[in-house]
PDB file of all heavy atoms in Angstrom:
ATOM      1  N   ARG A   1     -65.591  60.137  -0.645  1.00  0.00           N
ATOM      2  CA  ARG A   1     -66.913  60.533  -1.084  1.00  0.00           C
ATOM      3  C   ARG A   1     -67.427  61.704  -0.286  1.00  0.00           C
ATOM      4  O   ARG A   1     -67.094  61.880   0.875  1.00  0.00           O
ATOM      5  CB  ARG A   1     -67.879  59.370  -0.940  1.00  0.00           C
ATOM      6  CG  ARG A   1     -67.553  58.249  -1.908  1.00  0.00           C
ATOM      7  CD  ARG A   1     -68.582  57.185  -1.785  1.00  0.00           C
ATOM      8  NE  ARG A   1     -68.332  56.171  -2.797  1.00  0.00           N
ATOM      9  CZ  ARG A   1     -69.130  55.163  -2.978  1.00  0.00           C
ATOM     10  NH1 ARG A   1     -70.207  55.025  -2.286  1.00  0.00           N
ATOM     11  NH2 ARG A   1     -68.853  54.268  -3.901  1.00  0.00           N
ATOM     12  N   PRO A   2     -68.275  62.548  -0.883  1.00  0.00           N
ATOM     13  CA  PRO A   2     -68.837  63.662  -0.140  1.00  0.00           C
ATOM     14  C   PRO A   2     -69.771  63.164   0.937  1.00  0.00           C
ATOM     15  O   PRO A   2     -70.414  62.145   0.817  1.00  0.00           O
ATOM     16  CB  PRO A   2     -69.609  64.437  -1.216  1.00  0.00           C
ATOM     17  CG  PRO A   2     -69.930  63.418  -2.256  1.00  0.00           C
ATOM     18  CD  PRO A   2     -68.751  62.485  -2.257  1.00  0.00           C
ATOM     19  N   GLY A   3     -69.845  63.954   2.007  1.00  0.00           N
ATOM     20  CA  GLY A   3     -70.783  63.623   3.067  1.00  0.00           C
ATOM     21  C   GLY A   3     -70.260  62.577   4.019  1.00  0.00           C
ATOM     22  O   GLY A   3     -71.023  61.940   4.727  1.00  0.00           O
ATOM     23  N   ASP A   4     -68.910  62.400   4.104  1.00  0.00           N
ATOM     24  CA  ASP A   4     -68.368  61.379   4.985  1.00  0.00           C
ATOM     25  C   ASP A   4     -68.363  61.813   6.446  1.00  0.00           C
ATOM     26  O   ASP A   4     -68.011  61.046   7.322  1.00  0.00           O
ATOM     27  CB  ASP A   4     -66.924  61.045   4.576  1.00  0.00           C
ATOM     28  CG  ASP A   4     -66.903  60.110   3.397  1.00  0.00           C
ATOM     29  OD1 ASP A   4     -67.953  59.566   3.034  1.00  0.00           O
ATOM     30  OD2 ASP A   4     -65.829  59.936   2.843  1.00  0.00           O
ATOM     31  N   GLU A   5     -68.709  63.095   6.712  1.00  0.00           N
ATOM     32  CA  GLU A   5     -68.678  63.563   8.083  1.00  0.00           C
ATOM     33  C   GLU A   5     -69.662  62.775   8.923  1.00  0.00           C
ATOM     34  O   GLU A   5     -70.807  62.596   8.554  1.00  0.00           O
ATOM     35  CB  GLU A   5     -69.041  65.050   8.150  1.00  0.00           C
ATOM     36  CG  GLU A   5     -68.066  65.943   7.407  1.00  0.00           C
ATOM     37  CD  GLU A   5     -68.354  65.990   5.922  1.00  0.00           C
ATOM     38  OE1 GLU A   5     -69.416  65.511   5.515  1.00  0.00           O
ATOM     39  OE2 GLU A   5     -67.526  66.525   5.196  1.00  0.00           O
ATOM     40  N   ALA A   6     -69.219  62.320  10.061  1.00  0.00           N
ATOM     41  CA  ALA A   6     -70.109  61.563  10.949  1.00  0.00           C
ATOM     42  C   ALA A   6     -71.120  62.504  11.570  1.00  0.00           C
ATOM     43  O   ALA A   6     -70.804  63.616  11.963  1.00  0.00           O
ATOM     44  CB  ALA A   6     -69.294  60.874  12.038  1.00  0.00           C
ATOM     45  N   LEU A   7     -72.368  62.076  11.651  1.00  0.00           N
ATOM     46  CA  LEU A   7     -73.419  62.891  12.223  1.00  0.00           C
ATOM     47  C   LEU A   7     -73.610  62.621  13.703  1.00  0.00           C
ATOM     48  O   LEU A   7     -74.324  63.344  14.378  1.00  0.00           O
ATOM     49  CB  LEU A   7     -74.745  62.613  11.488  1.00  0.00           C
ATOM     50  CG  LEU A   7     -74.773  62.993  10.014  1.00  0.00           C
ATOM     51  CD1 LEU A   7     -76.173  62.808   9.473  1.00  0.00           C
ATOM     52  CD2 LEU A   7     -74.326  64.422   9.793  1.00  0.00           C
ATOM     53  N   LEU A   8     -72.990  61.563  14.203  1.00  0.00           N
ATOM     54  CA  LEU A   8     -73.242  61.177  15.584  1.00  0.00           C
ATOM     55  C   LEU A   8     -72.289  61.914  16.503  1.00  0.00           C
ATOM     56  O   LEU A   8     -71.212  61.470  16.795  1.00  0.00           O
ATOM     57  CB  LEU A   8     -73.075  59.669  15.772  1.00  0.00           C
ATOM     58  CG  LEU A   8     -73.366  59.149  17.175  1.00  0.00           C
ATOM     59  CD1 LEU A   8     -74.817  59.384  17.530  1.00  0.00           C
ATOM     60  CD2 LEU A   8     -73.021  57.702  17.300  1.00  0.00           C
ATOM     61  N   ASN A   9     -72.674  63.119  16.946  1.00  0.00           N
ATOM     62  CA  ASN A   9     -71.881  63.854  17.915  1.00  0.00           C
ATOM     63  C   ASN A   9     -72.508  63.756  19.294  1.00  0.00           C
ATOM     64  O   ASN A   9     -72.037  64.338  20.243  1.00  0.00           O
ATOM     65  CB  ASN A   9     -71.772  65.326  17.513  1.00  0.00           C
ATOM     66  CG  ASN A   9     -70.937  65.489  16.267  1.00  0.00           C
ATOM     67  OD1 ASN A   9     -69.956  64.786  16.109  1.00  0.00           O
ATOM     68  ND2 ASN A   9     -71.324  66.387  15.394  1.00  0.00           N
ATOM     69  N   GLY A  10     -73.596  63.061  19.382  1.00  0.00           N
ATOM     70  CA  GLY A  10     -74.277  62.911  20.651  1.00  0.00           C
ATOM     71  C   GLY A  10     -75.296  61.823  20.531  1.00  0.00           C
ATOM     72  O   GLY A  10     -75.289  61.053  19.595  1.00  0.00           O
ATOM     73  N   SER A  11     -76.197  61.784  21.460  1.00  0.00           N
ATOM     74  CA  SER A  11     -77.262  60.779  21.445  1.00  0.00           C
ATOM     75  C   SER A  11     -78.524  61.434  20.975  1.00  0.00           C
ATOM     76  O   SER A  11     -79.211  62.100  21.725  1.00  0.00           O
ATOM     77  CB  SER A  11     -77.445  60.208  22.852  1.00  0.00           C
ATOM     78  OG  SER A  11     -78.529  59.327  22.870  1.00  0.00           O
ATOM     79  N   PRO A  12     -78.841  61.357  19.661  1.00  0.00           N
ATOM     80  CA  PRO A  12     -79.907  62.151  19.106  1.00  0.00           C
ATOM     81  C   PRO A  12     -81.286  61.804  19.604  1.00  0.00           C
ATOM     82  O   PRO A  12     -82.174  62.597  19.518  1.00  0.00           O
ATOM     83  CB  PRO A  12     -79.817  61.895  17.604  1.00  0.00           C
ATOM     84  CG  PRO A  12     -78.870  60.799  17.408  1.00  0.00           C
ATOM     85  CD  PRO A  12     -78.198  60.507  18.695  1.00  0.00           C
ATOM     86  N   GLY A  13     -81.509  60.635  20.078  1.00  0.00           N
ATOM     87  CA  GLY A  13     -82.860  60.333  20.495  1.00  0.00           C
ATOM     88  C   GLY A  13     -82.900  59.508  21.757  1.00  0.00           C
ATOM     89  O   GLY A  13     -83.924  59.388  22.406  1.00  0.00           O
ATOM     90  N   GLY A  14     -81.764  58.942  22.121  1.00  0.00           N
ATOM     91  CA  GLY A  14     -81.751  58.101  23.290  1.00  0.00           C
ATOM     92  C   GLY A  14     -81.427  58.894  24.535  1.00  0.00           C
ATOM     93  O   GLY A  14     -81.227  60.094  24.507  1.00  0.00           O
ATOM     94  N   ALA A  15     -81.357  58.233  25.651  1.00  0.00           N
ATOM     95  CA  ALA A  15     -81.040  58.890  26.906  1.00  0.00           C
ATOM     96  C   ALA A  15     -79.917  58.125  27.574  1.00  0.00           C
ATOM     97  O   ALA A  15     -79.915  56.924  27.633  1.00  0.00           O
ATOM     98  CB  ALA A  15     -82.266  58.907  27.816  1.00  0.00           C
ATOM     99  N   SER A  16     -78.930  58.850  28.061  1.00  0.00           N
ATOM    100  CA  SER A  16     -77.810  58.213  28.741  1.00  0.00           C
ATOM    101  C   SER A  16     -77.662  58.834  30.112  1.00  0.00           C
ATOM    102  O   SER A  16     -77.973  60.001  30.318  1.00  0.00           O
ATOM    103  CB  SER A  16     -76.512  58.402  27.953  1.00  0.00           C
ATOM    104  OG  SER A  16     -76.583  57.717  26.733  1.00  0.00           O
ATOM    105  N   ALA A  17     -77.169  58.045  31.030  1.00  0.00           N
ATOM    106  CA  ALA A  17     -76.945  58.562  32.372  1.00  0.00           C
ATOM    107  C   ALA A  17     -75.818  59.569  32.355  1.00  0.00           C
ATOM    108  O   ALA A  17     -74.864  59.445  31.613  1.00  0.00           O
ATOM    109  CB  ALA A  17     -76.582  57.412  33.310  1.00  0.00           C
ATOM    110  N   SER A  18     -75.939  60.593  33.187  1.00  0.00           N
ATOM    111  CA  SER A  18     -74.848  61.533  33.357  1.00  0.00           C
ATOM    112  C   SER A  18     -73.754  60.819  34.120  1.00  0.00           C
ATOM    113  O   SER A  18     -73.993  60.216  35.155  1.00  0.00           O
ATOM    114  CB  SER A  18     -75.351  62.758  34.134  1.00  0.00           C
ATOM    115  OG  SER A  18     -74.319  63.693  34.290  1.00  0.00           O
ATOM    116  N   ARG A  19     -72.534  60.904  33.603  1.00  0.00           N
ATOM    117  CA  ARG A  19     -71.465  60.097  34.155  1.00  0.00           C
ATOM    118  C   ARG A  19     -70.332  60.965  34.672  1.00  0.00           C
ATOM    119  O   ARG A  19     -70.093  62.059  34.193  1.00  0.00           O
ATOM    120  CB  ARG A  19     -70.917  59.135  33.093  1.00  0.00           C
ATOM    121  CG  ARG A  19     -71.957  58.210  32.485  1.00  0.00           C
ATOM    122  CD  ARG A  19     -71.305  57.443  31.356  1.00  0.00           C
ATOM    123  NE  ARG A  19     -72.208  56.466  30.786  1.00  0.00           N
ATOM    124  CZ  ARG A  19     -72.990  56.718  29.745  1.00  0.00           C
ATOM    125  NH1 ARG A  19     -72.992  57.895  29.181  1.00  0.00           N
ATOM    126  NH2 ARG A  19     -73.773  55.780  29.255  1.00  0.00           N
ATOM    127  N   SER A  20     -69.623  60.469  35.602  1.00  0.00           N
ATOM    128  CA  SER A  20     -68.394  61.100  36.057  1.00  0.00           C
ATOM    129  C   SER A  20     -67.343  60.029  36.216  1.00  0.00           C
ATOM    130  O   SER A  20     -67.659  58.887  36.538  1.00  0.00           O
ATOM    131  CB  SER A  20     -68.604  61.836  37.386  1.00  0.00           C
ATOM    132  OG  SER A  20     -68.930  60.921  38.402  1.00  0.00           O
ATOM    133  N   ARG A  21     -66.096  60.405  35.995  1.00  0.00           N
ATOM    134  CA  ARG A  21     -65.021  59.422  36.061  1.00  0.00           C
ATOM    135  C   ARG A  21     -64.433  59.405  37.478  1.00  0.00           C
ATOM    136  O   ARG A  21     -64.117  60.440  38.045  1.00  0.00           O
ATOM    137  CB  ARG A  21     -63.938  59.780  35.041  1.00  0.00           C
ATOM    138  CG  ARG A  21     -62.956  58.673  34.810  1.00  0.00           C
ATOM    139  CD  ARG A  21     -61.906  59.043  33.809  1.00  0.00           C
ATOM    140  NE  ARG A  21     -62.477  59.461  32.541  1.00  0.00           N
ATOM    141  CZ  ARG A  21     -61.765  59.599  31.440  1.00  0.00           C
ATOM    142  NH1 ARG A  21     -60.485  59.354  31.445  1.00  0.00           N
ATOM    143  NH2 ARG A  21     -62.330  60.000  30.324  1.00  0.00           N
ATOM    144  N   THR A  22     -64.307  58.244  38.032  1.00  0.00           N
ATOM    145  CA  THR A  22     -63.728  58.103  39.355  1.00  0.00           C
ATOM    146  C   THR A  22     -62.573  57.143  39.289  1.00  0.00           C
ATOM    147  O   THR A  22     -62.452  56.330  38.379  1.00  0.00           O
ATOM    148  CB  THR A  22     -64.766  57.588  40.372  1.00  0.00           C
ATOM    149  OG1 THR A  22     -65.202  56.292  39.955  1.00  0.00           O
ATOM    150  CG2 THR A  22     -65.973  58.518  40.450  1.00  0.00           C
ATOM    151  N   SER A  23     -61.714  57.214  40.262  1.00  0.00           N
ATOM    152  CA  SER A  23     -60.550  56.333  40.293  1.00  0.00           C
ATOM    153  C   SER A  23     -60.520  55.607  41.620  1.00  0.00           C
ATOM    154  O   SER A  23     -60.747  56.184  42.664  1.00  0.00           O
ATOM    155  CB  SER A  23     -59.273  57.153  40.109  1.00  0.00           C
ATOM    156  OG  SER A  23     -58.149  56.344  40.241  1.00  0.00           O
ATOM    157  N   SER A  24     -60.260  54.316  41.556  1.00  0.00           N
ATOM    158  CA  SER A  24     -60.163  53.513  42.772  1.00  0.00           C
ATOM    159  C   SER A  24     -59.045  52.510  42.605  1.00  0.00           C
ATOM    160  O   SER A  24     -59.118  51.638  41.751  1.00  0.00           O
ATOM    161  CB  SER A  24     -61.487  52.800  43.044  1.00  0.00           C
ATOM    162  OG  SER A  24     -61.367  51.927  44.150  1.00  0.00           O
ATOM    163  N   GLN A  25     -57.973  52.672  43.428  1.00  0.00           N
ATOM    164  CA  GLN A  25     -56.825  51.770  43.409  1.00  0.00           C
ATOM    165  C   GLN A  25     -56.263  51.637  42.007  1.00  0.00           C
ATOM    166  O   GLN A  25     -55.939  50.560  41.541  1.00  0.00           O
ATOM    167  CB  GLN A  25     -57.218  50.391  43.959  1.00  0.00           C
ATOM    168  CG  GLN A  25     -57.650  50.438  45.422  1.00  0.00           C
ATOM    169  CD  GLN A  25     -58.026  49.087  45.952  1.00  0.00           C
ATOM    170  OE1 GLN A  25     -58.125  48.136  45.195  1.00  0.00           O
ATOM    171  NE2 GLN A  25     -58.218  48.990  47.241  1.00  0.00           N
ATOM    172  N   GLY A  26     -56.148  52.802  41.316  1.00  0.00           N
ATOM    173  CA  GLY A  26     -55.517  52.833  40.002  1.00  0.00           C
ATOM    174  C   GLY A  26     -56.402  52.425  38.869  1.00  0.00           C
ATOM    175  O   GLY A  26     -55.989  52.463  37.724  1.00  0.00           O
ATOM    176  N   SER A  27     -57.641  51.969  39.123  1.00  0.00           N
ATOM    177  CA  SER A  27     -58.527  51.564  38.038  1.00  0.00           C
ATOM    178  C   SER A  27     -59.530  52.662  37.781  1.00  0.00           C
ATOM    179  O   SER A  27     -59.833  53.480  38.647  1.00  0.00           O
ATOM    180  CB  SER A  27     -59.251  50.264  38.398  1.00  0.00           C
ATOM    181  OG  SER A  27     -60.083  50.489  39.516  1.00  0.00           O
ATOM    182  N   ARG A  28     -60.079  52.697  36.538  1.00  0.00           N
ATOM    183  CA  ARG A  28     -61.053  53.708  36.162  1.00  0.00           C
ATOM    184  C   ARG A  28     -62.418  53.066  36.028  1.00  0.00           C
ATOM    185  O   ARG A  28     -62.556  51.965  35.549  1.00  0.00           O
ATOM    186  CB  ARG A  28     -60.669  54.356  34.826  1.00  0.00           C
ATOM    187  CG  ARG A  28     -59.373  55.118  34.882  1.00  0.00           C
ATOM    188  CD  ARG A  28     -59.131  55.834  33.589  1.00  0.00           C
ATOM    189  NE  ARG A  28     -59.105  54.902  32.464  1.00  0.00           N
ATOM    190  CZ  ARG A  28     -59.073  55.280  31.205  1.00  0.00           C
ATOM    191  NH1 ARG A  28     -59.094  56.541  30.889  1.00  0.00           N
ATOM    192  NH2 ARG A  28     -59.037  54.381  30.244  1.00  0.00           N
ATOM    193  N   SER A  29     -63.424  53.779  36.417  1.00  0.00           N
ATOM    194  CA  SER A  29     -64.786  53.293  36.253  1.00  0.00           C
ATOM    195  C   SER A  29     -65.706  54.475  36.045  1.00  0.00           C
ATOM    196  O   SER A  29     -65.401  55.606  36.445  1.00  0.00           O
ATOM    197  CB  SER A  29     -65.226  52.472  37.468  1.00  0.00           C
ATOM    198  OG  SER A  29     -65.269  53.304  38.610  1.00  0.00           O
ATOM    199  N   TRP A  30     -66.822  54.204  35.419  1.00  0.00           N
ATOM    200  CA  TRP A  30     -67.847  55.229  35.204  1.00  0.00           C
ATOM    201  C   TRP A  30     -68.983  54.952  36.182  1.00  0.00           C
ATOM    202  O   TRP A  30     -69.439  53.835  36.307  1.00  0.00           O
ATOM    203  CB  TRP A  30     -68.375  55.163  33.769  1.00  0.00           C
ATOM    204  CG  TRP A  30     -67.366  55.593  32.778  1.00  0.00           C
ATOM    205  CD1 TRP A  30     -66.470  54.815  32.127  1.00  0.00           C
ATOM    206  CD2 TRP A  30     -67.128  56.925  32.335  1.00  0.00           C
ATOM    207  NE1 TRP A  30     -65.689  55.556  31.302  1.00  0.00           N
ATOM    208  CE2 TRP A  30     -66.065  56.862  31.409  1.00  0.00           C
ATOM    209  CE3 TRP A  30     -67.694  58.171  32.622  1.00  0.00           C
ATOM    210  CZ2 TRP A  30     -65.572  57.982  30.771  1.00  0.00           C
ATOM    211  CZ3 TRP A  30     -67.201  59.287  31.983  1.00  0.00           C
ATOM    212  CH2 TRP A  30     -66.153  59.192  31.081  1.00  0.00           C
ATOM    213  N   GLN A  31     -69.432  56.008  36.877  1.00  0.00           N
ATOM    214  CA  GLN A  31     -70.491  55.855  37.858  1.00  0.00           C
ATOM    215  C   GLN A  31     -71.550  56.926  37.653  1.00  0.00           C
ATOM    216  O   GLN A  31     -71.252  58.022  37.173  1.00  0.00           O
ATOM    217  CB  GLN A  31     -69.933  55.965  39.278  1.00  0.00           C
ATOM    218  CG  GLN A  31     -68.948  54.849  39.630  1.00  0.00           C
ATOM    219  CD  GLN A  31     -68.450  55.000  41.049  1.00  0.00           C
ATOM    220  OE1 GLN A  31     -68.543  56.067  41.635  1.00  0.00           O
ATOM    221  NE2 GLN A  31     -67.943  53.916  41.596  1.00  0.00           N
ATOM    222  N   LEU A  32     -72.763  56.633  38.042  1.00  0.00           N
ATOM    223  CA  LEU A  32     -73.809  57.642  38.036  1.00  0.00           C
ATOM    224  C   LEU A  32     -73.486  58.671  39.107  1.00  0.00           C
ATOM    225  O   LEU A  32     -73.044  58.330  40.206  1.00  0.00           O
ATOM    226  CB  LEU A  32     -75.172  56.991  38.319  1.00  0.00           C
ATOM    227  CG  LEU A  32     -75.685  56.086  37.209  1.00  0.00           C
ATOM    228  CD1 LEU A  32     -76.883  55.278  37.720  1.00  0.00           C
ATOM    229  CD2 LEU A  32     -76.085  56.914  36.017  1.00  0.00           C
ATOM    230  N   ARG A  33     -73.744  59.942  38.798  1.00  0.00           N
ATOM    231  CA  ARG A  33     -73.351  60.989  39.736  1.00  0.00           C
ATOM    232  C   ARG A  33     -74.134  60.926  41.042  1.00  0.00           C
ATOM    233  O   ARG A  33     -73.606  61.130  42.109  1.00  0.00           O
ATOM    234  CB  ARG A  33     -73.538  62.355  39.071  1.00  0.00           C
ATOM    235  CG  ARG A  33     -72.474  62.623  38.012  1.00  0.00           C
ATOM    236  CD  ARG A  33     -72.725  63.933  37.305  1.00  0.00           C
ATOM    237  NE  ARG A  33     -71.638  64.218  36.379  1.00  0.00           N
ATOM    238  CZ  ARG A  33     -71.664  65.175  35.473  1.00  0.00           C
ATOM    239  NH1 ARG A  33     -72.710  65.946  35.349  1.00  0.00           N
ATOM    240  NH2 ARG A  33     -70.647  65.363  34.680  1.00  0.00           N
ATOM    241  N   ASP A  34     -75.422  60.668  40.952  1.00  0.00           N
ATOM    242  CA  ASP A  34     -76.219  60.597  42.165  1.00  0.00           C
ATOM    243  C   ASP A  34     -77.538  59.911  41.847  1.00  0.00           C
ATOM    244  O   ASP A  34     -77.812  59.537  40.720  1.00  0.00           O
ATOM    245  CB  ASP A  34     -76.463  61.993  42.752  1.00  0.00           C
ATOM    246  CG  ASP A  34     -76.896  62.988  41.695  1.00  0.00           C
ATOM    247  OD1 ASP A  34     -77.669  62.582  40.789  1.00  0.00           O
ATOM    248  OD2 ASP A  34     -76.481  64.148  41.755  1.00  0.00           O
ATOM    249  N   GLN A  35     -78.366  59.759  42.866  1.00  0.00           N
ATOM    250  CA  GLN A  35     -79.643  59.083  42.677  1.00  0.00           C
ATOM    251  C   GLN A  35     -80.543  59.858  41.734  1.00  0.00           C
ATOM    252  O   GLN A  35     -81.357  59.283  41.016  1.00  0.00           O
ATOM    253  CB  GLN A  35     -80.329  58.889  44.037  1.00  0.00           C
ATOM    254  CG  GLN A  35     -79.620  57.894  44.945  1.00  0.00           C
ATOM    255  CD  GLN A  35     -79.561  56.528  44.288  1.00  0.00           C
ATOM    256  OE1 GLN A  35     -80.518  56.072  43.670  1.00  0.00           O
ATOM    257  NE2 GLN A  35     -78.415  55.865  44.428  1.00  0.00           N
ATOM    258  N   LYS A  36     -80.400  61.176  41.700  1.00  0.00           N
ATOM    259  CA  LYS A  36     -81.196  61.990  40.797  1.00  0.00           C
ATOM    260  C   LYS A  36     -80.889  61.642  39.357  1.00  0.00           C
ATOM    261  O   LYS A  36     -81.781  61.534  38.511  1.00  0.00           O
ATOM    262  CB  LYS A  36     -80.934  63.476  41.046  1.00  0.00           C
ATOM    263  CG  LYS A  36     -81.772  64.394  40.170  1.00  0.00           C
ATOM    264  CD  LYS A  36     -81.477  65.854  40.497  1.00  0.00           C
ATOM    265  CE  LYS A  36     -82.297  66.777  39.601  1.00  0.00           C
ATOM    266  NZ  LYS A  36     -82.009  68.209  39.878  1.00  0.00           N
ATOM    267  N   SER A  37     -79.609  61.439  39.053  1.00  0.00           N
ATOM    268  CA  SER A  37     -79.223  61.072  37.690  1.00  0.00           C
ATOM    269  C   SER A  37     -79.817  59.725  37.307  1.00  0.00           C
ATOM    270  O   SER A  37     -80.250  59.514  36.182  1.00  0.00           O
ATOM    271  CB  SER A  37     -77.694  61.014  37.569  1.00  0.00           C
ATOM    272  OG  SER A  37     -77.142  62.295  37.774  1.00  0.00           O
ATOM    273  N   TRP A  38     -79.819  58.784  38.281  1.00  0.00           N
ATOM    274  CA  TRP A  38     -80.390  57.466  37.997  1.00  0.00           C
ATOM    275  C   TRP A  38     -81.878  57.580  37.700  1.00  0.00           C
ATOM    276  O   TRP A  38     -82.389  56.938  36.796  1.00  0.00           O
ATOM    277  CB  TRP A  38     -80.152  56.545  39.183  1.00  0.00           C
ATOM    278  CG  TRP A  38     -80.810  55.211  39.021  1.00  0.00           C
ATOM    279  CD1 TRP A  38     -81.904  54.739  39.678  1.00  0.00           C
ATOM    280  CD2 TRP A  38     -80.427  54.183  38.120  1.00  0.00           C
ATOM    281  NE1 TRP A  38     -82.226  53.488  39.247  1.00  0.00           N
ATOM    282  CE2 TRP A  38     -81.330  53.115  38.285  1.00  0.00           C
ATOM    283  CE3 TRP A  38     -79.398  54.051  37.180  1.00  0.00           C
ATOM    284  CZ2 TRP A  38     -81.242  51.945  37.556  1.00  0.00           C
ATOM    285  CZ3 TRP A  38     -79.308  52.883  36.474  1.00  0.00           C
ATOM    286  CH2 TRP A  38     -80.224  51.846  36.647  1.00  0.00           C
ATOM    287  N   LYS A  39     -82.586  58.418  38.456  1.00  0.00           N
ATOM    288  CA  LYS A  39     -84.013  58.591  38.212  1.00  0.00           C
ATOM    289  C   LYS A  39     -84.247  59.237  36.845  1.00  0.00           C
ATOM    290  O   LYS A  39     -85.153  58.863  36.103  1.00  0.00           O
ATOM    291  CB  LYS A  39     -84.642  59.455  39.305  1.00  0.00           C
ATOM    292  CG  LYS A  39     -86.171  59.550  39.200  1.00  0.00           C
ATOM    293  CD  LYS A  39     -86.749  60.341  40.344  1.00  0.00           C
ATOM    294  CE  LYS A  39     -88.285  60.270  40.296  1.00  0.00           C
ATOM    295  NZ  LYS A  39     -88.832  60.731  39.023  1.00  0.00           N
ATOM    296  N   GLN A  40     -83.386  60.202  36.469  1.00  0.00           N
ATOM    297  CA  GLN A  40     -83.522  60.834  35.155  1.00  0.00           C
ATOM    298  C   GLN A  40     -83.330  59.792  34.055  1.00  0.00           C
ATOM    299  O   GLN A  40     -84.030  59.800  33.041  1.00  0.00           O
ATOM    300  CB  GLN A  40     -82.494  61.959  34.999  1.00  0.00           C
ATOM    301  CG  GLN A  40     -82.792  63.177  35.866  1.00  0.00           C
ATOM    302  CD  GLN A  40     -81.679  64.199  35.778  1.00  0.00           C
ATOM    303  OE1 GLN A  40     -80.574  63.893  35.342  1.00  0.00           O
ATOM    304  NE2 GLN A  40     -81.973  65.406  36.204  1.00  0.00           N
ATOM    305  N   LEU A  41     -82.379  58.878  34.258  1.00  0.00           N
ATOM    306  CA  LEU A  41     -82.127  57.848  33.259  1.00  0.00           C
ATOM    307  C   LEU A  41     -83.331  56.929  33.104  1.00  0.00           C
ATOM    308  O   LEU A  41     -83.800  56.666  31.996  1.00  0.00           O
ATOM    309  CB  LEU A  41     -80.887  57.036  33.645  1.00  0.00           C
ATOM    310  CG  LEU A  41     -80.612  55.794  32.786  1.00  0.00           C
ATOM    311  CD1 LEU A  41     -80.365  56.194  31.348  1.00  0.00           C
ATOM    312  CD2 LEU A  41     -79.427  55.027  33.340  1.00  0.00           C
ATOM    313  N   THR A  42     -83.843  56.421  34.240  1.00  0.00           N
ATOM    314  CA  THR A  42     -84.961  55.486  34.145  1.00  0.00           C
ATOM    315  C   THR A  42     -86.206  56.161  33.587  1.00  0.00           C
ATOM    316  O   THR A  42     -86.940  55.570  32.799  1.00  0.00           O
ATOM    317  CB  THR A  42     -85.261  54.893  35.531  1.00  0.00           C
ATOM    318  OG1 THR A  42     -85.466  55.960  36.471  1.00  0.00           O
ATOM    319  CG2 THR A  42     -84.115  54.027  36.021  1.00  0.00           C
TER     320      THR A  42
END
């Protein structure tokens, strides 16, 4: 059908924390970059 393109390429109205990927003992986790990012999120 026409118009099947997804419109969600980002967060159009919500707010998400800025994230960076870190590695610890072979595992992956997402963490807030710094306290400033946490304040921006809240």
Side-chain angles (χ1 to χ4, degrees):
R1 292 184 175 185
D4 280 349
E5 298 82 11
L7 296 186
L8 182 64
N9 291 322
S11 175
S16 294
S18 181
R19 303 174 176 93
S20 64
R21 193 180 304 193
T22 62
S23 175
S24 175
Q25 297 180 351
S27 64
R28 296 186 302 171
S29 64
W30 291 91
Q31 296 181 341
L32 291 168
R33 287 176 175 169
D34 47 38
Q35 292 300 319
K36 182 179 179 181
S37 295
W38 175 252
K39 186 177 187 304
Q40 289 174 343
L41 172 62
T42 54

